[in-house]
Amino acid sequence: MIRRLLERFTATDLIMWVIGGAIMALILVGSTATISAGKYSLKHWIDFMVFGLAQGSIYALIALGYTMVYGVLRMINFAHSEVFMSGPYTAYFVAAFFHRSCLLESHPVLSMFMVLLVSMAVSTLVAYLLERIAYRPLRTAPRLVPLITAIGASFFLQYTFRGLYGSGFQAYPVVKALEKHWDILGVRILGFQVVVIVAAALMMGALYLFVQKTRTGKALRAVSEDKESAALMGIDVDRMISMTFVIGGMAAGAAGVLYALMFKQVHFFMGFIPGIKAFTAAVLGGIGNIPGAMLGGIFLGFIESLGPSLFLDGLGIVAPYQLKDAIAFTMLVLVLIFRPTGILGERLAVKKA
C-alpha cells in the first residue's frame, strides 16, 4: 500500500505540499503572534466577523450563478460578473429618482423593494439573452469555444454599459434607516449589514428548497446529471438550461443591490473583482455544488475580513488590509493543494469532468 502511494506521489505533489505547509506555518505563527499581542479586542473581532459574513453572503449569491451553469453545461460563464453589474447599475437610476423625490426616505422599504426588483429583472434578462444568443448556438462546439465566447461576451457587456451609462463612478443613494446601529443579542451591527445577511440567507434558503423540493428543481438536477437521459424522460433540456441562467441572473441582480448598499457605488467595471471572488468561492466550495458555493462564499468573506488582521498583523506587515485579495487567493491555492475538489466537492467521473 505504501509502495502504491509512493508511486502516485510525484515530485510536483511534493513541491505543492511543501508550499502549502509553509503557508500554513506562516498562518499559524502570524495568528499566534496577533492573538498574543492583544491588539484587537473582542468587539473588533465581532465587527470583522459580521462584515465578513455580510460580504461572504454576497459572494455566495454571485457564486450560485457560476456553480449552477457549470453544473449543467460544464462551462465557466465568465460573463456572469457583467450579469451581476448590469442589474444594480440600471437600478441606480431608479434609486436616484426615489432619492430626489424623497421616497427613499419616506418609504424606504417599498423603494428598496422596487430597486431590487428592477435590478433582478435586468440581470435576469441579460443572463437569459446571453444563453439564447451567445451560448445556445455553441452547445455542441468544443469546450474551449464557449469559454472564449464567455470572455468576449464579458467585454461586450462591460463596454456596452460603459457607453450607455458612462465611465464614471455613481454614488448609490444612502438609505438613512440602514445606516443606524441595531442592537442584536448585545452586539451593535449596522442596519445594512443585517439587511444584507438576512436577505442573502432567505434567498439562498429559497433557492436550495426550489432546487431540492420542486418538480422544476428535480428536472434541473436531472439535466445536470445526464442530459441525454433527462431528454429521454421527457424533460425539456433547453428550457432547463435557460432556467439555470434565469435563476443565476436573479441571484446576481439581488447580490448587486446588496453590494451597492454595502459599498455605496456602482460603475461599469464593478463586476470584475466580485465576480473573480465569487468564482473563487465556487471553486472553494466545490464547483457544481450549490451548498458548496454558499459555504465557499461565506468562508471567503470571513477569510477576507479576518485574515489580514489575524494572519499578517502579528508578522509585522505594515498595511495588512491591502493584502486581503492576496489572502483570499492564497486560501484558494491551499484548498486546491489539500483538497482539489473543493470543500464539498466530489470527484467527477471522466464523463462529467
Side-chain angles (χ1 to χ4, degrees):
M1 184 176 176
I2 295 174
R3 189 177 174 182
R4 283 184 193 169
L5 283 174
L6 288 174
E7 286 174 356
R8 291 173 57 185
F9 204 75
T10 64
T12 306
D13 293 330
L14 178 63
I15 292 170
M16 296 301 287
W17 276 77
V18 168
I19 293 172
I23 295 172
M24 287 297 294
L26 278 175
I27 288 173
L28 285 174
V29 170
S31 303
T32 306
T34 301
I35 294 170
S36 303
K39 181 178 177 181
Y40 298 100
S41 65
L42 180 62
K43 181 180 178 303
H44 289 125
W45 292 119
I46 291 174
D47 287 345
F48 287 144
M49 285 192 283
V50 171
F51 183 81
L53 182 59
Q55 189 167 248
S57 301
I58 294 173
Y59 290 155
L61 279 176
I62 309 170
L64 289 172
Y66 283 105
T67 210
M68 288 183 69
V69 169
Y70 184 85
V72 171
L73 289 179
R74 310 292 172 221
M75 67 163 279
I76 298 167
N77 179 18
F78 283 113
H80 190 63
S81 53
E82 276 54 61
V83 172
F84 162 77
M85 171 273 292
S86 62
Y89 203 174
T90 306
Y92 156 77
F93 298 99
V94 179
F97 169 74
F98 286 150
H99 179 64
R100 286 195 300 272
S101 58
C102 298
L103 282 171
L104 201 57
E105 193 169 342
S106 58
H107 299 87
V109 176
L110 180 62
S111 300
M112 286 312 300
F113 183 67
M114 293 299 294
V115 170
L116 184 69
L117 281 184
V118 170
S119 178
M120 290 173 71
V122 172
S123 290
T124 302
L125 179 63
V126 171
Y128 178 74
L129 291 177
L130 262 179
E131 192 276 325
R132 289 302 302 265
I133 298 171
Y135 300 144
R136 187 174 292 189
L138 305 175
R139 194 70 54 77
T140 56
R143 291 176 64 175
L144 189 60
V145 176
L147 191 70
I148 294 170
T149 304
I151 295 171
S154 172
F155 282 116
F156 171 79
L157 288 171
Q158 274 182 24
Y159 289 101
T160 298
F161 279 87
R162 181 184 182 182
L164 288 173
Y165 299 153
S167 59
F169 286 72
Q170 305 288 354
Y172 230 75
V174 173
V175 184
K176 291 182 179 176
L178 300 180
E179 295 301 309
K180 298 174 183 173
H181 283 90
W182 297 1
D183 283 317
I184 298 176
L185 301 174
V187 179
R188 296 190 75 196
I189 305 175
L190 282 166
F192 70 81
Q193 290 176 329
V194 177
V195 169
V196 168
I197 293 168
V198 172
L202 289 175
M203 282 185 270
M204 286 189 282
L207 175 62
Y208 182 76
L209 289 176
F210 174 79
V211 172
Q212 293 295 325
K213 302 293 182 184
T214 65
R215 191 181 180 88
T216 305
K218 290 173 184 173
L220 279 174
R221 285 189 283 140
V223 171
S224 171
E225 286 295 322
D226 192 325
K227 291 184 191 59
E228 288 78 14
S229 300
L232 287 173
M233 289 187 288
I235 295 172
D236 188 338
V237 174
D238 284 338
R239 182 170 167 269
M240 289 302 110
I241 292 173
S242 294
M243 179 67 71
T244 302
F245 278 81
V246 165
I247 293 170
M250 289 172 69
V257 171
L258 300 180
Y259 181 88
L261 281 177
M262 276 190 72
F263 297 100
K264 313 285 190 296
Q265 64 180 17
V266 290
H267 56 100
F268 78 98
F269 202 58
M270 64 176 280
F272 181 72
I273 295 296
I276 292 289
K277 298 284 182 63
F279 174 65
T280 303
V283 176
L284 277 172
I287 194 158
N289 185 313
I290 291 177
M294 297 175 187
L295 184 64
I298 292 169
F299 176 76
L300 189 66
F302 274 128
I303 289 295
E304 264 196 41
S305 182
L306 285 165
S309 302
L310 182 61
F311 305 153
L312 300 182
D313 223 324
L315 297 176
I317 304 294
V318 179
Y321 207 71
Q322 297 297 320
L323 296 174
K324 66 183 179 69
D325 292 342
I327 290 176
F329 294 119
T330 301
M331 286 298 116
L332 175 65
V333 172
L334 280 179
V335 170
L336 292 179
I337 288 175
F338 294 115
R339 188 169 170 77
T341 55
I343 299 170
L344 296 184
E346 59 182 19
R347 292 191 181 279
L348 296 176
V350 174
K351 185 180 176 184
K352 290 176 76 174

